[in-house]
């Protein structure tokens, strides 16, 4: 259980880091609203220090990673089966045999080209809701601040994608995806049986590329559809439902902000 203990320790350290934030930092890094930032909506802008709030951003990002890894452990028996063994040695071995020369990692089309871009879009939504430079601004490609935020969010999603595949809380470290663990997997070529490639770079690319496309698309819906809905209807349940439907990654990003809000509150 050495590997599982290391995972639990990492997750616990995330929680302890969030709780160790000083009261002064809490004032500077005001927790984000649990309501998605609807573009064009007339709101009373809260007091803030301006710029990017890195403290809440990192905590929400860690929460997102913890949610994803918990889902993997619960749903995937092959991941649970690989929780035993030496954590650091198996992690290093997995990274060392990663197929960077492959595009396709053997995942389903939906997983690679829909789910992973949605993962990248959620990471970008976490960045966006902690960036006061664009958090309350509507989509405007003529705005230098908007274009800069898109590039920054793209870079953030890239870091998230690489760490998801290779980092200390990744598919390589938890579940050892791509590491041959059975003798017939290791000797598949010698035995003349198909060697299944379980690693590749498709997700490392699609997370940020597809995620940025999704972000732009959902923000367009936010500006041109959600704004009209809110101007015509006052029903709170209808508005909240359409917010979730027109920007699902933002809704998940809001969930990731709840633990930090509870700590600060």
């Amino acid at each position: 259980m050495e590997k599982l203990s290391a995972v639990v320790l990492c997750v616990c350290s995330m929680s302890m880091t969030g709780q160790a934030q000083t009261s002064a930092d809490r004032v500077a890094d005001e927790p984000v609203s649990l309501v998605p930032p609807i573009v064009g909506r007339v709101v009373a802008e809260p007091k803030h220090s301006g710029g990017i709030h890195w403290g809440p951003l990192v905590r929400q990002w860690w929460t997102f990673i913890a949610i994803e890894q918990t889902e993997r452990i619960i749903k995937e028996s092959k991941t649970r089966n690989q929780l035993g063994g030496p954590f650091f040695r198996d992690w290093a071995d997995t990274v060392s045999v990663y197929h960077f020369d492959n595009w396709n990692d053997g995942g389903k089309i939906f997983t690679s080209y829909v789910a992973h871009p949605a993962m990248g879009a959620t990471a970008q939504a976490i960045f966006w809701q902690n960036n006061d430079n664009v958090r309350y601004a509507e989509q405007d490609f003529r705005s230098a601040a908007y274009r800069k935020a898109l590039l920054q969010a793209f870079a953030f999603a890239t870091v998230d994608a690489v760490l998801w595949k290779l980092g200390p809380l990744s598919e390589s470290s938890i579940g050892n995806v791509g590491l041959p663990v059975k003798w017939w997997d290791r000797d598949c070529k010698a035995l003349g049986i198909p060697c299944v490639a379980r690693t590749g770079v498709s997700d490392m690319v699609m997370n940020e590329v597809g995620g940025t496309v999704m972000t732009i698309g959902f923000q367009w819906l936010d500006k041109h559809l959600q704004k009209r809905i809110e101007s015509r209807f006052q029903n709170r349940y209808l508005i909240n439902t359409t917010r979730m439907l027109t920007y699902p990654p933002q809704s998940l990003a809001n969930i990731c902000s709840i633990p930090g809000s509870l700590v600060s509150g």
Side-chain angles (χ1 to χ4, degrees), residues 135-166:
R135 182 180 169 194
Y136 295 99
E138 67 178 18
Q139 186 181 64
D140 183 5
F141 289 99
R142 295 171 297 180
S143 167
Y146 181 81
R147 296 194 302 270
K148 180 180 179 181
L150 277 180
L151 291 175
Q152 291 174 323
F154 182 93
F156 181 69
T158 301
V159 172
D160 174 68
V162 173
L163 291 180
W164 174 255
K165 288 295 183 181
L166 305 173

Side-chain angles (χ1 to χ4, degrees), residues 230-250:
E230 296 198 11
S231 66
R232 295 184 60 183
F233 300 97
Q234 301 299 321
N235 186 293
R236 175 54 55 183
Y237 296 103
L238 173 63
I239 291 175
N240 288 342
T241 299
T242 54
R243 282 177 182 172
M244 290 186 289
L245 292 177
T246 56
Y247 208 156
Q250 181 63 62

Side-chain angles (χ1 to χ4, degrees), residues 50 54 74 83-84 89 101 111-112 186 221-222 232 238 263:
W54 290 105
I74 292 175
L83 291 179
R89 189 185 70 187
D101 55 338
T111 300
S112 296
R186 295 192 296 267
L221 288 176
D222 228 7
R232 295 184 60 183
L238 173 63
V263 171

Side-chain angles (χ1 to χ4, degrees), residues 195-226:
C195 297
V196 179
R198 297 185 60 201
T199 57
V201 299
S202 60
D203 295 340
M204 293 190 199
V205 175
M206 290 306 301
N207 271 41
E208 62 270 18
V209 174
T212 300
V213 172
M214 281 191 174
T215 294
I216 293 173
F218 285 131
Q219 288 180 349
W220 187 92
L221 288 176
D222 228 7
K223 177 180 180 180
H224 297 283
L225 178 59
Q226 185 63 32

Side-chain angles (χ1 to χ4, degrees), residues 1-264:
M1 299 298 288
E2 178 182 345
K3 188 177 301 183
L4 182 58
S5 299
V7 173
V8 173
L9 179 62
C10 290
V11 174
C12 289
S13 67
M14 294 177 183
S15 175
M16 293 174 63
T17 301
Q19 295 181 18
Q21 184 185 30
T22 64
S23 59
D25 290 335
R26 291 173 187 168
V27 173
D29 295 335
E30 181 181 355
V32 300
S33 169
L34 299 185
V35 178
I38 304 304
V39 178
R41 192 156 48 97
V42 178
V43 295
E45 191 168 325
K47 296 180 180 179
H48 52 70
S49 61
I52 301 173
H53 301 287
W54 290 105
L57 190 156
V58 172
R59 289 197 302 274
Q60 292 162 27
W61 179 34
W62 284 349
T63 301
F64 181 43
I65 293 174
I67 291 173
E68 292 176 300
Q69 292 293 2
T70 300
E71 180 186 18
R72 288 185 65 228
I73 293 173
I74 292 175
K75 292 178 61 177
E76 300 175 2
S77 59
K78 59 184 179 181
T79 298
R80 294 193 299 273
N81 292 337
Q82 288 299 105
L83 291 179
F87 179 85
F88 291 102
R89 189 185 70 187
D90 286 351
W91 173 27
D93 289 344
T94 304
V95 173
S96 68
V97 298
Y98 201 93
H99 291 285
F100 292 99
D101 55 338
N102 283 347
W103 168 257
N104 190 351
D105 61 1
K108 299 177 181 179
I109 293 178
F110 178 85
T111 300
S112 296
Y113 297 101
V114 177
H116 274 279
M119 173 181 168
T122 303
Q124 292 186 347
I126 291 174
F127 174 85
W128 212 273
Q129 70 186 9
N130 287 285
N131 184 354
D132 287 335
N133 295 320
V134 291
R135 182 180 169 194
Y136 295 99
E138 67 178 18
Q139 186 181 64
D140 183 5
F141 289 99
R142 295 171 297 180
S143 167
Y146 181 81
R147 296 194 302 270
K148 180 180 179 181
L150 277 180
L151 291 175
Q152 291 174 323
F154 182 93
F156 181 69
T158 301
V159 172
D160 174 68
V162 173
L163 291 180
W164 174 255
K165 288 295 183 181
L166 305 173
L169 286 176
S170 66
E171 291 182 345
S172 294
S173 62
I174 302 176
N176 305 131
V177 174
L179 181 67
V181 294
K182 302 180 183 299
W183 65 268
W184 56 81
D185 290 331
R186 295 192 296 267
D187 302 330
C188 58
K189 291 183 179 179
L191 295 173
I193 60 178
C195 297
V196 179
R198 297 185 60 201
T199 57
V201 299
S202 60
D203 295 340
M204 293 190 199
V205 175
M206 290 306 301
N207 271 41
E208 62 270 18
V209 174
T212 300
V213 172
M214 281 191 174
T215 294
I216 293 173
F218 285 131
Q219 288 180 349
W220 187 92
L221 288 176
D222 228 7
K223 177 180 180 180
H224 297 283
L225 178 59
Q226 185 63 32
K227 181 179 178 181
R228 293 183 180 181
I229 292 174
E230 296 198 11
S231 66
R232 295 184 60 183
F233 300 97
Q234 301 299 321
N235 186 293
R236 175 54 55 183
Y237 296 103
L238 173 63
I239 291 175
N240 288 342
T241 299
T242 54
R243 282 177 182 172
M244 290 186 289
L245 292 177
T246 56
Y247 208 156
Q250 181 63 62
S251 298
L252 182 53
N254 289 337
I255 293 175
C256 295
S257 72
I258 293 176
S261 299
L262 296 177
V263 171
S264 298

